[in-house]
């Protein structure tokens, strides 16, 4: 009987070692799927329709740098479709704050492409949920592996990040495939901000460092809204949004950003020139 | 009978692991100059199999004390380094110097915690450990496993270097210098006056592709000042102990190529994803681990250079 039990014990410990060895990579993250809970928390359990014909997510399969992972959202509605995308919500399921951003597309701006950069903490699904003018939600997803090596979803040069606080840059890109008379534009807004997550504990005081991030960005051509973003800590330091839109002939491009400390950063540029 | 054998097997297993804990084998080190001992890490990512022993670690023996420079990528490696120190000298370890926060250089710290030893680092090192430590522990659990990671403790320095600091090991003076952001934002170098040996940490890479985790511009700016250090040899963070400053040539070429390519892509309006795919491609054949780090370097460089 004793013999039997000891054998069992040996077997059990061997088995658990083997099990640990075979499932250890990413097992913890994969075992639990947070998405159903996120649908409840972020989208109030509204039904999710297949969005593969509505919205695409482009991300590298592996997050090369955990702090700066490029993501592009591309609308896929055909020109003849009479529905319009009103908002796109980007969710990084396994991040500490999964809702990375909610973009609101200007009703007259015809934004078809939005690129930004996010932090990726873990092996994770990334969902994009588009709300269309038909009142329904459409979802699509990709899977991203966390980075290896010494990168971390933290600022690289903490002093420089502070020095840039509130700086804004605007840039217009030439679209060579469009003729000079085309009214399709591609532009980029950069906002200097450390976008601290607030999830790190100070080693000395054992208090959490308060979060400090950009939570709202609004962009206009003259007084017509182009794009707005509600952001969270999953957006990389120095938030950067590159997007396409249709010019209404406006002379000015305007940006306003707010952060969690109540700072308001505003800037206006000549619409067709790049500048700081 | 079978019963007895099982019990003995169990006891042997238990005994072996206890002994392993108490007395690790020595990390192989070579004496690259009188009183300077170095272990050259394997050029690889940190894994369970290599126990995180991928960075160069070492120690310097003075007339009255020892300084350890970097502690390795696991407490197990740290204990093996400690065993190597004890094989070569019985003088006390007075300083444990971390050249920066990265796990392959600091995960072994816990092996050296002792009332007589002070931990020394860049003034930004405590902040870096705070901001990144938990993420590193979680991330490397995946590739190194629970056994190695469970015993890792983040040990913050109590002696901080703001600019330069001299440490005396008894007849042997070490000059520590804290650098502006370059490889990371907490890089520290150690120069041994007696043998003119520079421990450069990850400010110098050979063979292993350089990794940009601080500021590419800052790193390029630091190269001339680094080259001016009157050293005869360098112990890089990764790669072979080499002649100084000739050892900087490969790294300088790579960082310049990366910066030039990234600046050209930004000027022509290309998105950051194109930089990850194409920048510094001319360097691929010249480095190990190129595909593990180059895209990440390009991504980091692009987001930095955009603000020029």
């Amino acid at each position: 009987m004793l013999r039997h039990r000891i054998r069992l014990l040996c077997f059990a410990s061997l088995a658990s070692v083997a099990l640990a060895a075979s499932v250890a990579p990413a097992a913890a993250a994969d075992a639990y799927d947070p998405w159903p809970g996120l649908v409840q928390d972020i989208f109030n359990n509204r039904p999710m329709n297949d969005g593969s014909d509505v919205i695409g997510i482009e991300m590298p399969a592996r997050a090369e740098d955990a702090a700066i992972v490029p993501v592009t959202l591309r609308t896929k509605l055909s020109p003849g479709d009479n529905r319009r995308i009103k908002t796109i919500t980007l969710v990084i399921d396994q991040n500490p704050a999964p809702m990375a951003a909610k973009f609101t597309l200007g009703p007259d701006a015809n934004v078809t492409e939005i690129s930004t950069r996010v932090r990726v903490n873990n092996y994770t699904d990334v969902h994009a949920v588009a709300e269309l003018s038909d009142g329904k939600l459409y979802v699509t997803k990709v899977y991203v592996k966390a980075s290896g090596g010494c990168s971390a979803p933290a600022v690289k040069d903490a002093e420089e990040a502070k020095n840039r606080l509130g700086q804004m840059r605007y840039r217009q890109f030439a679209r060579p495939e469009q003729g000079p008379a085309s009214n399709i534009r591609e532009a980029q807004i950069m906002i200097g901000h450390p976008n601290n997550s607030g999830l790190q504990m100070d080693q000395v005081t054992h208090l959490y460092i308060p979060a400090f991030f950009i939570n709202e960005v609004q962009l206009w051509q003259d007084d017509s809204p182009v794009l707005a973003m509600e952001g969270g800590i999953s957006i990389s330091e120095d938030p950067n949004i590159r997007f396409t839109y249709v010019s209404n002939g406006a002379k000015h491009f305007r940006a306003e950003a707010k952060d969690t400390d109540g700072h308001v950063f505003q800037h206006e540029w000549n619409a067709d020139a790049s500048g700081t | 009978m079978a019963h007895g054998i099982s019990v003995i097997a169990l006891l042997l297993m238990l005994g072996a692991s206890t002994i392993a804990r108490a007395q690790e084998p020595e990390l192989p080190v070579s004496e690259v100059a009188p009183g300077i001992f170095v272990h050259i890490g394997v050029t690889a990512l940190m894994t369970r199999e290599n126990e995180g022993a991928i960075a160069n670690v070492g120690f310097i023996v003075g007339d009255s004390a020892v300084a350890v420079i970097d502690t390795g990528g696991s407490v197990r490696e740290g204990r093996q380094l400690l065993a190597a120190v004890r094989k070569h000298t019985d003088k006390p370890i007075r300083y444990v110097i971390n050249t920066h926060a990265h796990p392959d250089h600091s995960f072994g710290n816990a092996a050296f915690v002792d009332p007589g030893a002070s931990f020394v680092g860049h003034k930004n090192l405590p902040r870096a450990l705070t901001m990144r430590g938990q993420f590193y522990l979680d991330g490397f659990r995946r590739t190194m496993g629970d056994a190695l990671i469970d015993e890792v403790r983040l040990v913050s320095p109590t002696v901080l270097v703001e600019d330069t600091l001299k440490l005396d090991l008894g007849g042997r003076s070490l000059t520590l210098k804290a650098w502006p952001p370059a490889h990371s934002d907490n890089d520290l170098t150690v120069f041994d006056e007696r043998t003119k040996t520079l421990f450069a940490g990850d400010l110098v890479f050979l063979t292993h592709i350089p990794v940009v985790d601080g500021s590419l511009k800052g790193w390029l700016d630091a190269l001339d000042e680094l080259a001016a250090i009157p050293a005869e040899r360098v112990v890089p963070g990764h790669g072979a102990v080499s002649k100084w400053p000739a050892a900087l040539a490969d790294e300088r070429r790579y960082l310049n190529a990366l910066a030039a390519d990234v600046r050209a892509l930004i000027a022509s309006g290309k998105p950051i994803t194109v930089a990850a795919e194409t920048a510094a491609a001319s360097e691929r054949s010249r480095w190990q681990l190129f595909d593990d780090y180059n895209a990440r370097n390009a991504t980091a460089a692009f987001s930095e250079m955009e603000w020029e």
Side-chain angles (χ1 to χ4, degrees):
Chain A
M1 188 59 203
L2 185 61
R3 180 179 68 189
H4 189 114
R5 265 169 54 197
I6 287 169
R7 271 201 183 146
L8 261 182
L9 202 74
C10 284
F11 177 75
S13 64
L14 278 176
S16 65
V17 167
L19 191 69
S22 64
V23 302
D30 289 346
Y32 165 70
D33 180 7
W35 180 241
L38 293 170
V39 170
Q40 183 173 341
D41 293 347
I42 302 175
F43 304 100
N44 207 13
N45 254 344
R46 290 169 63 188
M48 289 285 162
N49 300 283
D50 174 21
S52 47
D53 295 333
V54 176
I55 181 93
I57 314 173
E58 292 163 25
M59 283 180 92
R62 181 169 196 95
E64 303 288 356
D65 183 334
I68 308 163
V69 185
V71 52
T72 296
L73 303 167
R74 210 183 291 275
T75 65
K76 291 181 166 181
L77 291 180
S78 63
D81 201 311
N82 59 10
R83 296 171 303 171
R84 187 181 79 73
I85 296 183
K86 293 165 68 181
T87 68
I88 304 168
T89 305
L90 180 67
V91 182
I92 304 170
D93 295 19
Q94 299 280 358
N95 268 15
M99 199 187 104
K102 180 179 182 183
F103 296 98
T104 301
L105 285 57
D108 305 315
N110 195 23
V111 171
T112 56
E113 205 179 302
I114 304 169
S115 297
T116 188
R117 299 158 196 179
V118 294
R119 299 186 164 113
V120 172
N121 291 54
N122 213 322
Y123 284 53
T124 184
D125 280 336
V126 176
H127 286 89
V129 176
E131 178 169 26
L132 264 53
S133 51
D134 63 10
K136 293 180 182 164
L137 300 180
Y138 297 83
V139 64
T140 188
K141 71 169 178 176
V142 294
Y143 184 72
V144 180
K145 291 180 175 175
S147 69
C150 53
S151 85
V155 295
K156 291 187 173 29
D157 181 346
E159 300 306 324
E160 185 63 19
K162 271 188 239 162
N163 294 340
R164 278 205 283 263
L165 183 69
Q167 286 187 40
M168 283 176 141
R169 300 261 179 106
Y170 167 77
R171 188 171 174 189
Q172 277 280 348
F173 299 96
R175 299 272 287 180
E177 73 276 18
Q178 310 287 345
S182 163
N183 57 0
I184 296 178
R185 299 279 186 275
E186 181 171 9
Q188 175 176 270
I189 291 285
M190 298 160 58
I191 304 162
H193 204 285
N195 244 42
N196 279 343
S197 82
L199 294 168
Q200 299 97 359
M201 186 186 280
D202 188 292
Q203 301 277 296
V204 178
T205 61
H206 286 260
L207 296 171
Y208 283 95
I209 297 164
F212 177 43
F213 60 90
I214 294 281
N215 52 7
E216 198 181 311
V217 179
Q218 288 181 282
L219 309 173
W220 295 270
Q221 45 178 342
D222 285 346
D223 289 321
S224 177
V226 174
L227 185 64
M229 181 185 83
E230 284 172 53
I233 56 168
S234 290
I235 296 290
S236 303
E237 66 182 279
D238 300 332
N240 184 313
I241 313 170
R242 182 169 174 156
F243 51 94
T244 59
Y245 70 103
V246 169
S247 168
N248 62 4
K251 295 278 183 289
H252 297 101
F253 200 93
R254 191 155 60 89
E256 181 177 293
K258 296 177 181 168
D259 74 13
T260 48
D261 275 13
H263 298 116
V264 179
F265 310 110
Q266 288 173 309
H267 221 292
E268 187 174 294
W269 301 268
N270 183 334
D272 285 320
S274 296
T276 56
Chain B
M1 191 56 203
H3 169 184
I5 288 168
S6 294
V7 170
I8 288 166
L10 257 184
L11 286 174
L12 280 175
M13 282 168 67
L14 284 172
S17 75
T18 310
I19 290 163
R21 219 163 253 283
Q23 200 175 3
E24 294 281 358
E26 294 135 22
L27 200 63
V29 293
S30 54
E31 190 167 4
V32 300
I36 308 241
F37 297 84
V38 175
H39 171 77
I40 299 296
V42 294
T43 301
L45 304 178
M46 284 163 69
T47 63
R48 189 189 324 247
E49 289 70 31
N50 64 33
E51 299 183 344
I54 65 163
N56 296 341
V57 297
F59 55 95
I60 301 177
V61 182
D63 293 344
S64 60
V66 177
V68 169
I69 301 168
D70 284 341
T71 59
S74 63
V75 184
R76 196 169 296 169
E77 186 190 359
R79 281 193 300 265
Q80 292 173 4
L81 177 60
L82 177 59
V85 174
R86 285 294 152 252
K87 184 187 171 189
H88 288 95
T89 177
D90 53 7
K91 288 167 188 153
I93 296 170
R94 191 173 294 153
Y95 301 107
V96 181
I97 302 166
N98 284 128
T99 60
H100 62 296
H102 285 153
D104 47 333
H105 300 261
S106 67
F107 266 12
N109 278 6
F112 296 92
V113 171
D114 181 276
S118 296
F119 283 76
V120 186
H122 190 290
K123 69 174 195 304
N124 291 342
L125 178 59
R127 178 175 65 195
L129 289 170
T130 298
M131 303 289 270
R132 294 156 170 260
Q134 192 58 48
F135 178 81
Y136 286 152
L137 291 171
D138 295 344
F140 283 100
R141 191 171 289 277
R142 197 193 312 278
T143 52
M144 294 174 67
D146 292 340
L148 287 169
I149 297 301
D150 279 346
E151 56 181 352
V152 173
R153 297 288 173 270
L154 303 170
V155 182
S156 251
T158 52
V159 177
L160 298 182
V161 184
E162 193 121 354
D163 181 19
T164 58
L165 176 72
K166 283 196 188 289
L167 298 178
D168 180 20
L169 301 179
R172 184 157 210 159
S173 175
L174 306 182
T175 304
L176 279 56
K177 175 172 167 52
W179 293 78
H183 163 69
S184 72
D185 75 353
N186 52 94
D187 298 316
L188 185 74
T189 54
V190 181
F191 181 58
D192 173 56
E193 313 277 355
R194 188 189 284 180
T195 62
K196 307 243 174 285
T197 302
L198 174 68
F199 280 78
D202 281 2
L203 284 173
V204 180
F205 281 82
L206 289 113
T207 310
H208 180 307
I209 183 175
V211 177
V212 183
D213 198 26
S215 164
L216 175 56
K217 283 196 287 177
W219 204 345
L220 284 165
D221 289 346
L223 290 177
D224 287 341
E225 198 179 341
L226 271 168
I229 294 174
E232 288 174 8
R233 72 185 64 73
V234 65
V235 181
H238 298 266
V241 176
S242 304
K243 282 199 174 131
W244 190 255
L248 272 175
D250 285 356
E251 173 176 289
R252 188 191 290 271
R253 190 198 61 239
Y254 172 78
L255 296 178
N256 275 316
L258 179 64
D261 287 0
V262 164
R263 283 184 171 125
L265 290 166
I266 291 169
S268 65
K270 293 286 188 298
I272 192 168
T273 44
V274 174
E277 289 157 9
T278 65
S282 61
E283 290 283 318
R284 171 172 270 111
S285 64
R286 298 172 183 261
W287 299 97
Q288 290 185 31
L289 305 180
F290 184 91
D291 291 330
D292 291 290
Y293 286 109
N294 186 64
R296 165 233 145 96
N297 288 344
T299 304
F302 191 100
S303 66
E304 179 188 357
M305 300 296 197
E306 266 176 321
W307 287 91
E308 284 186 318

